[in-house]
Amino acid sequence: MRRREPEDRREQLLRAALAALSETGIEAFTFAEVARRADVSPALIVHYFGDRDTLIEATFRQLVERVTTRPIQALADGTSPEDRLRAFVLAHLNPGELTSEASRAWLSFWGLALHVPALARLQRVHQERMVSNLKHELRGLVQADQVTRIAETIAALIDGFWLRAALASAWRPDVQIPVDWIFEAIDRDLSAARLADSDRPSTQAEEQFQTVNPATGEVLATIRIDGQAEIDKAVARAAAAQRDWARTPGVERGRILNRAAQLLVANNDRLARLETEDTGKPIQETIAVDVLSGADCIEYFAGLARTISGEHMDLGSSAFGYTKREPLGVVAGIGAWNYPLQIACWKSAPALACGNAMLFKPAELTPLTAIELERIYLEAGLPEGLFQVVQGKAETGQMLSRHPGIAKISLTGEVGTGKKVMADAAATLKVVTLELGGKSALIVFEDADIDEAVSGALLANFYSAGEVCTNGTRVFVHRSIREAFLARLKARTEAMIIGDPLDPATHVGALISTAHMENVLGYIELGLQQGARLLTGGKRLTEGDLAKGAFVMPTIFTGCTDEMAIVREEIFGPVMSVLDFDDEAEVVARANASHLGLAAGIFTRDLARAHRVIGMLEAGTCWINSYNVTPIELPFGGNKQSGLGRENGKAAIEYFTQLKSVYVAMEPIDAPY
Ligand code: NAD
């Protein structure tokens, strides 16, 4: 054991003081209470801090530093003023930081600052620092006379949110509502007062971004951002190419798509490696799933292209009618970063098979493999302009959603992004397909094959380091088999190999970015604070080369309750919550108690129960005795706020075509005039 150094000791005492302030409040805040919590003598506290007021001030100073550190780091990471502004606000609302302890102590701090001049000063400095950081970023974004007003409003919203969290005494499940509201207010303000493009300081204009290997921190490429002019040009090229493509027979379209599928398969190893470098996912996954599932999808729609047809309606001897399925025109796909190439294929294959042109924007964290897909389509003989990759962040996505020349948007992303895209698309009444987030339930009944159920739970939580939208992160286990299930789950989780994603033996690679890792670690911290018990994992890994990347151990919580944030909110990382249940009706009600409804899975040997329960679950994509398998033949998508529309299967044809109804007269018109 290392001897405790004075700095460590000081930190330890301040932590104990913060805990005391948060739990017992200022009235009961005594040296004796802090000493008891730190397991030291009160004399030692006197030695370090002298008197009670100095200790209180030092505690609050440290709290202010803690609350400020993450947002300041976020400012350093962002590349554009808007990016930095959003990251700054989000870091202030970080669930791990906004814990009951920090926020309750914060409340005491504000109360005391009314009466104690030293604390009032500290508080003022903190406020000024926050507003000045906000103003700095806003100057590059909005008109000068609006900067102060907007900065003050954002600061007030953040403060209000903290105080509300403190009074609610915990991070409550409805927390997303105020967070969304704050961002909506910011978006409204920004769009009302936004500087004209020509007025933006040129040094602030973002023209490119870098994509980084999250396992090593190495920069993989610098990517040029497409702005309005590039998007306009791409839409015009796509529209010109689409006119001929719409007239090309389905069988011909299918042949070109088939060649593209074959080229993807032939390039599997190279593309899998590139995907692994860009995402941090293990090569054993990308080589077996990401590219091949994309190729499978293209092959499937290549086959369907020649079958797209309408109906004939018999209207008696005087007429008949028929319908035609026609393409929509130029459509856009916007992708998420967890399955970059697969998402690009899942969107482009049905779009092209149906005779549309597609502009595809990959997520800014993973821009590389979509570029390869564009090359492959061209090599396969797809006419130029029909599939074009555009690059950029939210602003570029927004240009697509708002563009009058684009007929449809298909987004894969977060629920909040889905709402924004839908609102933007409303101005030109675009068709919208949304594949959004989830917090799905996996139910293990007492008669399940336990080893199979454990396999399902592992796949449903730790595949792609948990960055899978359909993940069954709420694992409901019947109380009678809980112990046996947990014992096997723990053993198999602890045997997983975490490490270099390019090593074929690795099961769990890196998370997509250090910022996302911080968010995941914040949730883990929150789970512990809200009383969940850690069965295994719970930490970032930093041994050796892992320190350069965003590696988090597969983490399992037991003793979870339905109200906990880790059970209600999408974490999108390797964090599983195990919940106990006693009977079928109870578990169905609890599984359905979510505003999301992407997926669900059940494990049971009782077939009647399997179909009965699946029938009652509010989810778009379900599995019986399996999890996270997504054959292209089955339509894929979510219910409730997890999405709109479906990808894959024949169902996708409906979302990339429109019907034309034709009435054909077979007799002269009987005109009354
Ligand atoms: P995100 O919503 O942050 O970004 C998704 C894409 O939308 C990116 O390309 C981004 O640049 C773009 N974008 C962001 N704001 C936009 C705006 N205002 N207008 C237009 N485009 C905008 O999501 P993410 O972090 O990349 O991905 C993770 C999320 O995606 C998770 O919530 C996950 O559940 C979800 N997801 C869903 C599915 C599904 O099929 N249901 C699949 C994968 C991921």
Side-chain angles (χ1 to χ4, degrees):
M1 274 258 290
R2 190 163 65 94
R3 222 182 108 251
R4 207 177 261 286
E5 298 298 331
E7 256 325 290
D8 281 358
R9 180 63 84 193
R10 215 181 122 79
E11 292 289 321
Q12 181 213 8
L13 297 179
L14 287 174
R15 271 200 306 279
L18 186 67
L21 268 172
S22 144
E23 275 173 43
T24 51
I26 198 72
E27 291 300 326
F29 184 78
T30 57
F31 275 3
E33 175 60 20
V34 178
R36 188 185 63 73
R37 285 168 186 272
D39 200 20
V40 298
S41 79
L44 190 74
I45 304 183
V46 176
H47 166 73
Y48 274 98
F49 297 100
D51 57 25
R52 181 175 177 269
D53 285 348
T54 310
L55 175 60
I56 290 175
E57 191 184 333
T59 309
F60 283 134
R61 199 172 281 286
Q62 202 204 31
L63 180 60
V64 167
E65 270 315 304
R66 179 172 145 186
V67 167
T68 316
T69 305
R70 210 187 284 252
I72 298 288
Q73 272 166 3
L75 281 180
D77 290 344
T79 43
S80 73
E82 186 153 358
D83 247 358
R84 288 193 288 271
L85 182 74
R86 296 185 82 83
F88 182 77
V89 174
L90 209 57
H92 269 291
L93 306 176
N94 180 289
E97 202 48 56
L98 197 64
T99 57
S100 54
E101 184 188 79
S103 65
R104 281 161 65 101
W106 198 244
L107 192 62
S108 324
F109 174 40
W110 279 62
L112 276 182
L114 286 176
H115 311 290
V116 182
L119 297 186
R121 254 194 323 277
L122 191 57
Q123 211 249 339
R124 200 179 59 241
V125 170
H126 167 69
Q127 286 292 307
E128 282 170 1
R129 203 167 157 200
M130 187 197 296
V131 171
S132 127
N133 276 313
L134 288 167
K135 280 178 163 175
H136 181 77
E137 299 308 332
L138 284 164
R139 277 190 203 103
L141 282 173
V142 298
Q143 291 145 24
D145 60 347
Q146 296 297 314
V147 167
T148 304
R149 184 186 65 75
I150 300 178
E152 292 286 355
T153 310
I154 297 175
L157 288 170
I158 292 173
D159 286 338
F161 191 70
W162 267 83
L163 295 179
R164 179 178 179 279
L167 288 169
S169 80
W171 177 263
R172 287 290 167 99
D174 62 358
V175 70
Q176 199 51 42
I177 298 169
V179 173
D180 284 348
W181 199 86
I182 290 180
F183 277 110
E184 274 157 29
I186 293 175
D187 284 346
R188 258 198 315 278
D189 261 334
L190 288 188
S191 62
R194 198 177 274 282
L195 284 176
D197 280 351
S198 53
D199 292 339
R200 296 224 188 140
S202 57
T203 49
Q204 306 265 15
E206 201 189 6
E207 287 171 354
Q208 56 190 38
F209 63 89
Q210 291 183 322
T211 184
V212 169
N213 180 337
T216 62
E218 171 205 0
V219 174
L220 295 171
T222 299
I223 304 284
R224 195 172 168 280
I225 291 180
D226 289 310
Q228 194 63 56
E230 287 84 13
I231 301 287
D232 288 346
K233 260 188 244 159
V235 172
R237 277 179 69 211
Q242 193 266 336
R243 279 191 280 278
D244 286 341
W245 185 243
R247 287 195 291 265
T248 305
V251 61
E252 193 53 42
R253 296 203 291 256
R255 282 189 191 122
I256 293 175
L257 291 178
N258 256 326
R259 280 198 291 277
Q262 287 157 10
L263 284 169
L264 274 174
V265 174
N267 284 281
N268 184 32
D269 291 6
R270 182 178 65 83
L271 294 173
R273 190 185 165 92
L274 187 62
E275 197 73 307
T276 283
E277 287 173 341
D278 212 10
T279 58
K281 297 205 289 184
I283 189 90
Q284 65 162 247
E285 289 185 14
T286 52
I287 216 158
V289 173
D290 293 61
V291 188
L292 297 180
S293 145
D296 196 26
C297 176
I298 296 179
E299 191 180 331
Y300 176 81
F301 285 104
L304 277 192
R306 65 201 299 174
T307 71
I308 298 169
S309 57
E311 285 179 303
H312 170 272
M313 284 86 175
D314 187 344
L315 301 175
S317 60
S318 63
F320 69 91
Y322 66 93
T323 57
K324 277 171 70 124
R325 281 215 166 265
E326 296 188 335
L328 298 168
V330 179
V331 300
I334 302 178
W337 44 255
N338 61 337
Y339 279 83
L341 181 61
Q342 189 201 68
I343 291 172
C345 293
W346 281 21
K347 295 194 188 302
S348 61
L352 294 170
C354 292
N356 303 285
M358 172 167 268
L359 265 51
F360 183 80
K361 191 194 88 60
E364 54 272 34
L365 290 169
T366 52
L368 298 182
T369 45
I371 302 173
E372 296 295 320
L373 180 64
E374 183 173 347
R375 287 190 188 127
I376 281 180
Y377 273 136
L378 287 174
E379 195 182 332
L382 191 74
E384 285 223 2
L386 277 179
F387 179 78
Q388 299 174 61
V389 172
V390 297
Q391 298 280 8
K393 303 184 178 179
E395 295 75 20
T396 308
Q398 217 164 29
M399 288 170 200
L400 297 174
S401 315
R402 292 177 177 175
H403 203 289
I406 292 178
K408 176 207 165 91
I409 299 283
S410 173
L411 166 83
T412 298
E414 288 180 4
V415 176
T417 308
K419 291 178 185 173
K420 285 186 197 143
V421 164
M422 201 166 167
D424 283 332
T428 45
L429 287 181
K430 289 185 190 10
V431 182
V432 179
T433 301
L434 302 174
E435 295 292 351
L436 308 177
K439 190 72 194 176
S440 303
L442 189 163
I443 304 170
V444 183
F445 284 101
E446 63 277 20
D447 64 343
D449 177 323
I450 295 188
D451 286 318
E452 285 287 293
V454 168
S455 296
L458 293 173
L459 281 171
N461 282 272
F462 302 140
Y463 204 72
S464 294
E467 295 166 328
V468 182
C469 53
T470 43
N471 268 359
T473 45
R474 293 185 290 151
V475 179
F476 291 93
V477 180
H478 193 273
R479 205 178 297 277
S480 63
I481 56 163
R482 179 181 187 277
E483 295 312 320
F485 180 87
L486 288 181
R488 291 182 220 187
L489 182 68
K490 180 170 172 3
R492 285 176 61 184
T493 302
E494 290 175 355
M496 290 173 87
I497 301 168
I498 311 163
D500 177 5
L502 285 171
D503 181 340
T506 294
H507 295 124
V508 182
L511 293 178
I512 190 67
S513 65
T514 43
H516 184 55
M517 176 186 70
E518 288 300 335
N519 214 29
V520 170
L521 292 172
Y523 271 109
I524 291 175
E525 205 177 306
L526 190 56
L528 289 170
Q529 277 158 10
Q530 294 194 335
R533 287 189 298 277
L534 203 53
L535 183 69
T536 185
K539 286 199 199 74
R540 176 182 181 187
L541 284 176
T542 51
E543 285 92 50
D545 277 351
L546 297 188
K548 294 185 201 152
F551 293 89
V552 174
M553 294 168 82
T555 298
I556 301 171
F557 279 113
T558 62
C560 301
T561 61
D562 294 354
E563 294 71 36
M564 290 177 178
I566 53 166
V567 177
R568 302 192 62 89
E569 294 166 26
E570 187 184 42
I571 302 175
F572 221 56
V575 184
M576 178 193 309
S577 299
V578 180
L579 301 121
D580 308 331
F581 76 93
D582 293 303
D583 74 65
E584 186 181 302
E586 169 214 334
V587 76
V588 168
R590 289 170 64 196
N592 285 339
S594 168
H595 66 290
L596 301 171
L598 184 53
I602 65 174
F603 278 81
T604 175
R605 289 191 172 99
D606 178 343
L607 275 184
R609 166 149 72 187
H611 297 296
R612 182 173 64 240
V613 171
I614 287 290
M616 290 187 287
L617 289 174
E618 296 165 359
T621 303
C622 297
W623 293 276
I624 297 175
N625 293 330
S626 187
Y627 209 92
N628 266 350
V629 188
T630 50
I632 304 298
E633 292 80 355
L634 273 175
F636 176 86
N639 293 356
K640 302 201 262 187
Q641 291 191 30
S642 287
L644 279 182
R646 291 293 179 267
E647 294 193 314
N648 294 347
K650 287 187 209 146
I653 301 292
E654 279 175 42
Y655 296 97
F656 280 104
T657 54
Q658 54 196 335
L659 278 180
K660 178 174 277 173
S661 298
V662 184
Y663 176 94
V664 185
M666 299 291 285
E667 287 178 0
I669 298 171
D670 185 10
Y673 33 74

